[in-house]
Amino acid sequence: MTSAPLFMLNNGVQMPAIGLGVFQTPPEETTAAVQAALSAGYRHIDTAAAYLNEREVGEGIRRSGLDRSEVFIETKVWISDYGYEQTLHAFEKSAAKLGVDYLDLLILHQALSTAFELTIQAYKALETLRGEGKVRAIGVSNFTPEHLQRLLDRIQVVPAVSQIELHPYFTQQATRAIDAAHGILTQAWSPIGGITVYRGDPQKSTLKDPVILRIAKAHGKSAAQVMLRWHLQQLRSAIPKSVRPERIAENFDIFDFELTASELAEIDSLDTGVRGGPDPDSITLEAFGRPIPEA
Ligand code: NDP
């Protein structure tokens, strides 16, 4: 069976480049989606406490029959659990729901720019968990270059991964540059531009982009496969989401073709500089806080 290339993180841990995302995957569909992914060859799942489907992710992994050590499990701490003690407890909640005793990658889901001290304390808890071997690698999500700099000024362990919105219409050059400067692996969320479908005009989504469709046709591949290949060739991790087994398999069938340098540049040039998701500075506990249930 084909397997995804591995990226070596800045602490020596190896992570499969392509993972299955499960944001907006309803709990009742999650176990089947995870099983479909693992049988297609995926060995990396990206979930989050806030997705409320960690239990079902764990069930899918167990039903696959694979050994725990064969699957790279990534999850995220929600802002309502920030603070040193709270974040240590958030690990316990996620691990118990997933049914595992360690996580491969635990990341902060958002920066709280108006409560940055809480964000720092949450990150310090990740450092502790990493030191205790309860998580193999730690990281951040939705951090802007300013957030990353504020964090780096205060912490010991450089994040291994920076998960950000990244697709052909929003390519995040500035965040990628600071990630690269610090040896942080950039990981693309909405890697095939899902957010341009569910928060934009589906007719103007990346999946319908004429340039991407032309490149796809030239390779006998789909638009989604071309975008995933673009990430891979630019050395980014990507975590496409689908609940449909045929698309889950399609999104993993990207290891047998190569985009040319000019095709990569054409896709780069589609950047609009406009994000689909919320402005990371608009994330506050008041607006986005909600309790994460106990295990
Ligand atoms: P994606 O770019 O992965 O796109 C997913 C959407 O595209 C879904 O609507 C899916 O529908 C559809 N789709 C999947 N495969 C194909 C295909 N081959 N052809 C056509 N359509 C397809 O967007 P997401 O926003 O879901 O991002 C992926 C993952 O990134 C999330 O699941 C989550 O793990 C992570 N994420 C993290 C965020 C963060 O704040 N850190 C925010 C958002 C996402 P269907 O399921 O019906 O196939």
Side-chain angles (χ1 to χ4, degrees):
M1 183 188 290
T2 313
S3 52
L6 298 170
F7 284 132
M8 172 90 84
L9 303 180
N10 59 14
N11 65 354
V13 167
Q14 291 196 312
M15 181 178 87
I18 302 292
L20 176 76
V22 295
F23 173 48
Q24 302 184 112
T25 301
E28 61 278 13
E29 294 178 45
T30 301
T31 297
V34 168
Q35 282 183 276
L38 296 174
S39 68
Y42 291 68
R43 292 293 180 269
H44 174 179
I45 312 291
D46 175 69
T47 183
Y51 301 168
L52 304 177
N53 57 15
E54 291 174 304
R55 217 178 285 284
E56 292 76 13
V57 167
E59 185 59 26
I61 294 170
R62 279 187 296 282
R63 285 195 200 169
S64 74
L66 290 166
D67 190 74
R68 161 72 187 90
S69 64
E70 293 180 80
V71 184
F72 190 97
I73 304 179
E74 171 174 2
T75 192
K76 316 183 189 81
V77 181
W78 187 240
I79 53 172
S80 311
D81 283 335
Y82 283 9
Y84 186 76
E85 293 298 333
Q86 294 89 328
T87 300
L88 291 178
H89 185 59
F91 162 81
E92 300 296 340
K93 290 196 282 189
S94 285
K97 288 175 191 166
L98 285 155
V100 298
D101 52 14
Y102 71 91
L103 296 170
D104 296 284
L105 177 59
L106 184 60
I107 65 180
L108 299 185
H109 206 142
Q110 304 278 351
L112 286 173
S113 51
T114 55
F116 209 73
E117 191 54 34
L118 262 185
T119 311
I120 300 281
Q121 293 309 316
Y123 193 86
K124 288 185 184 287
L126 299 192
E127 292 180 324
T128 298
L129 291 163
R130 159 105 182 78
E132 291 173 344
K134 291 181 174 169
V135 305
R136 297 174 66 224
I138 62 178
V140 294
S141 178
N142 297 307
F143 275 47
T144 62
E146 295 73 28
H147 298 150
L148 278 169
Q149 198 51 59
R150 284 173 84 182
L151 182 81
L152 290 165
D153 289 345
R154 295 280 311 279
I155 49 101
Q156 305 292 321
V157 180
V158 175
V161 169
S162 157
Q163 185 185 117
I164 51 173
E165 178 183 346
L166 210 174
H167 47 74
Y169 290 173
F170 192 55
T171 63
Q172 298 249 40
Q173 296 291 345
T175 309
R176 281 159 60 191
I178 184 166
D179 286 350
H182 293 277
I184 303 169
L185 181 75
T186 306
Q187 183 175 56
W189 69 249
S190 260
I192 59 172
I195 197 149
T196 67
V197 178
Y198 59 75
R199 277 190 69 166
D201 173 357
Q203 293 315 315
K204 294 188 184 149
S205 77
T206 50
L207 286 155
K208 298 222 163 129
D209 185 276
V211 170
I212 298 172
L213 287 171
R214 171 172 45 76
I215 296 171
K217 195 168 175 208
H219 290 275
K221 289 284 180 178
S222 68
Q225 289 171 320
V226 163
M227 287 185 267
L228 292 167
R229 191 70 213 175
W230 168 72
H231 290 295
L232 205 57
Q233 287 183 222
Q234 295 186 346
L235 303 179
R236 289 187 290 278
S237 170
I239 43 172
K241 172 265 180 186
S242 181
V243 292
R244 307 185 204 198
E246 67 282 4
R247 286 181 174 175
I248 290 172
E250 175 187 325
N251 295 342
F252 202 69
D253 181 17
I254 57 165
F255 307 118
D256 61 351
F257 74 111
E258 183 120 359
L259 300 173
T260 65
S262 69
E263 287 169 335
L264 294 173
E266 269 193 282
I267 300 172
D268 286 338
S269 74
L270 300 174
D271 184 30
T272 62
V274 179
R275 67 173 75 246
D279 174 357
D281 280 322
S282 73
I283 306 297
T284 60
L285 277 170
E286 295 69 29
F288 290 89
R290 60 184 160 117
I292 299 298
E294 294 296 325

